[in-house]
Amino acid sequence: MLALKERAAANGRSAEAEHRLILEEALRSGRNEFRKRAARLRAGTAGRIQGESADLIREDRDSR
């Protein structure tokens, strides 16, 4: 909460106004930003084990 108040003061706004602005910016980024972040996450986790965790657990259990 202190960081929000400091950011608001630095921008000449109330904490409430700063909070509203942060929310608006987050919501405005919309699907395009989500897709960009998802693509970065997929690229960063490429090559790792993928699949349903239940299937992976069952496979591990059955291999014993």
Side-chain angles (χ1 to χ4, degrees), residues 12-61:
R13 289 186 276 270
S14 69
E16 179 66 25
E18 193 71 21
H19 186 227
R20 270 188 256 118
L21 181 64
I22 292 167
L23 286 173
E24 286 173 13
E25 289 173 352
L27 295 172
R28 195 176 309 132
S29 64
R31 291 182 183 209
N32 288 334
E33 185 60 30
F34 173 79
R35 288 185 178 127
K36 288 177 190 176
R37 289 187 354 236
R40 285 193 304 267
L41 179 61
R42 282 192 299 276
T45 59
R48 294 185 185 178
I49 297 173
Q50 297 179 0
E52 292 292 324
S53 60
D55 294 337
L56 295 170
I57 292 167
R58 188 176 301 109
E59 181 182 318
D60 181 57
R61 184 188 61 223

